[in-house]
């Protein structure tokens, strides 16, 4: 295999054991490297597949907790493309397939080193402050990380005091994140980036409002679109998987469209009643976040009988919450009156809407791995799908086109295919373009 033809250069892959004191360079026996990142997870996972014809598993006596240091770089003329590093821990021997009498293929399930370190720790402590401050304290104390990237500095929510209930550090950070909302009622997500090793805490409002990272290079199912030699060209979608979508009845039964919510104050013996209407409380904000994508994927004005479905209170939710547990600050599930409780409902509904129109596509992964910038989960990408029409002017399928938020990426490096890297990209959107006019690459909508 010539280095010039490969998309990725594997610099090293070293498997080590603190128990046996052995280290083995497994670069030459790699078959496939698969790495996962997800907008819901503050850790990276993956699979490392090797051909074991030297009794490696036996000699290393792999039992889990072995170290794997992986280093690679994109083969490119771009001068600032830098080395990508992963420090993994072997979580398990996932598969072993015998290929002949002398060798077999082994798949090792791996998880990033900090996630493994987190699993060894237990948090039973009281913290006070803004959610991002608490998360940052946990990162510093347990993971020795001081580089949290967050949008919360500009979208401060209410401070709280919590007692972490017997969780690992990463579980604690996720627990705090789930309770965090912006002043406008949008949820936060905390994730770790595979290509730059960053921890990011950011809110849905900031995510959706961000510009797409590929304005001049939209992803397209037009197979000839990627043949241009210019910088402005389309990235080819090789395959697309669309799961079940638009299950409106499920959203209705979950109370996402319209609901009555009762919040009981166990200290005062009182309760607040909050009526939620997806049109009035959520969609009016969503459609303002992207100037060219103002047609929401859900229309609460859809009528049934003599009124819109959003006017139906299809579910009544009752919540018991502690109140006045601490002086001068809220506890974990305590909110500032009706407005604070409404924000919790809005956050819940926002997350459900992200599951209404998801899809996954397989694209070239080489453009994701510059190493010096994060292009994966949390970014918005432009996707164009041409519509079949007799109109001489090209049109796009509005349903399957749009500015999509990346929610998960699986990067796969196939060693036996000249180190070709593909990206299985899961993404979603909350609104559609306002026009089906096809705009050549480099133009707006």
């Amino acid at each position: 295999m010539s280095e010039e033809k490969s998309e990725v250069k594997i610099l090293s892959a070293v498997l080590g054991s603190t128990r046996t004191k052995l280290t083995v360079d497994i670069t030459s026996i790699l078959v496939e490297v698969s790495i996962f990142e997800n907008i819901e997870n503050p850790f990276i996972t993956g699979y490392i597949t090797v051909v074991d014809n030297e009794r490696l598993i036996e000699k290393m006596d792999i039992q889990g907790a072995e170290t794997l240091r992986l280093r690679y770089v994109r083969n490119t003329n771009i001068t600032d493309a830098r080395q990508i590093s992963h420090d993994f821990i072997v979580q398990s021997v996932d598969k072993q397939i015998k290929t002949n009498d002398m060798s077999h293929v082994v798949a090792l399930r791996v998880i990033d080193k900090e996630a493994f370190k987190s699993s060894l720790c237990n948090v039973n402590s009281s913290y006070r402050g803004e959610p991002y401050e608490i998360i940052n304290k946990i990162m510093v104390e347990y993971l020795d990380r001081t580089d949290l990237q967050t949008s919360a500095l500009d979208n401060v929510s209410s401070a709280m005091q919590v007692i972490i209930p017997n969780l690992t550090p990463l579980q604690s950070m996720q627990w705090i994140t789930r309770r965090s909302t912006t002043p406008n009622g949008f949820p936060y997500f905390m994730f770790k980036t595979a290509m730059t090793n960053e921890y990011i805490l950011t809110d849905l409002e900031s995510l959706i409002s961000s510009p797409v990272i590929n304005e001049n290079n939209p992803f397209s199912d037009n197979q000839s679109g990627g043949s241009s030699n210019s910088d402005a060209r389309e990235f080819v979608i090789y395959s697309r998987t669309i799961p079940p979508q638009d299950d409106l009845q499920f959203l209705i039964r979950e109370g996402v469209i319209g609901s009555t919510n009762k919040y009981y104050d166990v200290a005062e013996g009182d309760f607040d009643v909050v009526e939620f209407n997806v049109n009035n409380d959520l969609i009016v904000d969503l459609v303002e976040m992207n100037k060219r994508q103002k047609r929401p994927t859900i229309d609460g004005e859809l009528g049934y009988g003599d009124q819109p479905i959003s006017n139906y209170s299809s579910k009544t939710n009752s919540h018991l919450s502690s109140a006045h547990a601490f002086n001068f600050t809220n506890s974990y599930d305590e909110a500032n009156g009706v407005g604070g409780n409404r924000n919790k409902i809005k956050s819940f509904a926002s997350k459900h809407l992200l599951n209404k129109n998801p899809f996954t596509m397989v694209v070239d992964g080489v453009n994701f791995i510059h190493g010096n910038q994060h292009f994966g989960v949390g970014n918005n990408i432009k996707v164009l799908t041409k519509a079949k029409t007799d109109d001489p002017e090209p049109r796009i399928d509005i349903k399957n086109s749009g500015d999509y938020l990346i929610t998960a990426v699986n990067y796969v490096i196939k060693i036996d295919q000249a180190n070709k890297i593909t990206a299985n990209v899961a993404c979603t959107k909350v609104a559609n373009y306002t026009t089906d006019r096809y705009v050549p690459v480099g133009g707006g909508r």
Side-chain angles (χ1 to χ4, degrees):
M1 179 184 65
S2 66
E3 213 170 89
E4 289 75 21
K5 293 182 180 179
S6 64
E7 294 183 343
V8 177
K9 179 183 178 182
I10 304 295
L11 301 175
S12 66
V14 179
L15 186 65
S17 171
T18 57
R19 183 170 50 84
T20 63
K21 308 302 181 183
L22 292 176
T23 58
V24 179
D25 190 329
I26 62 172
T27 307
S28 62
I29 62 173
L30 285 176
V31 176
E32 184 176 285
V33 175
S34 184
I35 300 168
F36 301 85
E37 62 180 6
N38 191 294
I39 200 171
E40 298 274 4
N41 296 334
F43 53 85
I44 305 301
T45 60
Y47 289 93
I48 307 296
T49 306
V50 300
V51 175
D52 186 9
N53 51 17
E54 297 292 339
R55 299 167 60 191
L56 173 66
I57 302 299
E58 175 190 351
K59 292 177 181 178
M60 293 288 293
D61 189 21
I62 291 180
Q63 299 181 9
E66 288 74 23
T67 61
L68 176 63
R69 175 165 290 185
L70 179 66
R71 303 288 185 267
Y72 56 93
V73 67
R74 176 184 175 184
N75 266 347
T76 177
N77 293 325
I78 299 175
T79 56
D80 62 349
R82 65 180 179 85
Q83 178 187 134
I84 297 169
S85 303
H86 300 292
D87 287 315
F88 287 122
I89 298 293
V90 176
Q91 190 173 2
S92 65
V93 180
D94 196 68
K95 292 181 180 179
Q96 298 187 63
I97 302 173
K98 189 172 183 178
T99 55
N100 55 50
D101 290 340
M102 301 300 296
S103 67
H104 58 288
V105 175
V106 179
L108 302 176
R109 180 181 176 88
V110 296
I111 191 166
D112 75 71
K113 193 173 182 177
E114 288 171 333
F116 185 80
K117 179 182 180 181
S118 172
S119 69
L120 298 174
C121 303
N122 186 265
V123 184
N124 284 286
S125 302
S126 175
Y127 292 91
R128 180 176 180 177
E130 292 289 335
Y132 78 90
E133 294 175 325
I134 296 174
I135 291 171
N136 189 64
K137 290 177 184 176
I138 295 172
M139 280 183 57
V140 172
E141 183 176 352
Y142 291 94
L143 302 181
D144 298 320
R145 293 287 296 260
T146 59
D147 55 345
L148 177 65
Q149 308 294 312
T150 181
S151 66
L153 297 174
D154 300 319
N155 293 289
V156 176
S157 57
S158 59
M160 64 173 71
Q161 183 166 345
V162 296
I163 299 175
I164 305 294
N166 196 31
L167 301 174
T168 70
L170 289 183
Q171 287 175 335
S172 302
M173 290 150 63
Q174 289 177 298
W175 186 64
I176 296 296
T177 301
R178 284 194 292 269
R179 177 60 185 90
S180 305
T181 63
T182 68
N184 291 331
F186 287 96
Y188 276 86
F189 295 91
M190 184 169 186
F191 53 91
K192 190 176 186 181
T193 63
M195 296 297 118
T196 57
N197 194 40
E198 296 174 294
Y199 285 99
I200 297 178
L201 174 69
T202 189
D203 62 279
L204 184 61
E205 188 173 4
S206 296
L207 291 174
I208 296 178
S209 300
S210 299
V212 296
I213 60 174
N214 63 327
E215 185 62 62
N216 292 334
N217 307 105
F219 290 101
S220 171
D221 56 359
N222 178 16
Q223 298 295 314
S224 63
S227 60
S228 172
N229 292 323
S230 67
D231 290 336
R233 60 187 180 88
E234 296 175 356
F235 291 152
V236 177
I237 300 174
Y238 295 107
S239 67
R240 181 195 297 251
T241 301
I242 302 177
Q245 295 189 344
D246 297 309
D247 191 342
L248 183 59
Q249 186 178 15
F250 171 77
L251 295 179
I252 290 173
R253 295 310 312 147
E254 289 294 301
V256 173
I257 309 303
S259 62
T260 298
N261 303 269
K262 299 179 180 179
Y263 290 88
Y264 291 87
D265 183 337
V266 296
E268 299 291 339
D270 197 6
F271 64 91
D272 291 327
V273 178
V274 183
E275 300 292 341
F276 179 76
N277 180 304
V278 71
N279 268 347
N280 300 337
D281 298 321
L282 178 58
I283 290 180
V284 291
D285 292 330
L286 287 178
V287 297
E288 296 301 320
M289 295 182 187
N290 186 325
K291 64 181 181 180
R292 62 188 183 189
Q293 200 155 264
K294 288 181 171 291
R295 297 174 58 182
T297 58
I298 184 170
D299 184 3
E301 293 296 337
L302 174 68
Y304 183 81
D306 57 352
Q307 62 179 322
I309 58 172
S310 57
N311 287 352
Y312 287 87
S313 181
S314 59
K315 189 174 184 179
T316 298
N317 299 306
S318 296
H319 307 270
L320 287 175
S321 62
S322 60
H324 315 303
F326 304 105
N327 293 327
F328 311 115
T329 188
N330 291 336
S331 57
Y332 178 79
D333 57 354
E334 189 175 357
N336 293 323
V338 173
N341 286 323
R342 188 180 303 280
N343 278 352
K344 290 194 285 187
I345 308 166
K346 187 174 179 179
S347 174
F348 170 81
S350 299
K351 286 189 173 181
H352 271 67
L353 286 189
L354 292 181
N355 297 322
K356 189 173 186 291
N357 289 96
F359 87 95
T360 301
M361 62 182 180
V362 177
V363 299
D364 287 323
V366 68
N367 292 299
F368 288 87
I369 60 166
H370 295 287
N372 57 342
Q373 190 174 348
H374 168 60
F375 294 108
V377 295
N379 284 297
N380 289 314
I381 54 174
K382 183 178 179 180
V383 179
L384 298 181
T385 300
K386 285 190 174 181
K388 294 181 179 180
T389 177
D390 295 330
D391 194 324
E393 182 181 350
R395 299 289 179 180
I396 61 169
D397 179 343
I398 293 179
K399 188 73 171 177
N400 291 310
S401 300
D403 294 348
Y404 281 85
L405 174 66
I406 300 176
T407 57
V409 184
N410 174 205
Y411 306 95
V412 181
I413 304 174
K414 296 183 180 295
I415 311 301
D416 59 347
Q417 297 181 20
N419 286 10
K420 179 176 178 58
I421 180 168
T422 59
N424 300 299
V425 182
C427 46
T428 188
K429 61 178 179 177
V430 295
N432 296 318
Y433 286 148
T434 56
T435 174
D436 66 350
R437 185 170 63 90
Y438 174 78
V439 179
V441 292
R445 294 214 57 78

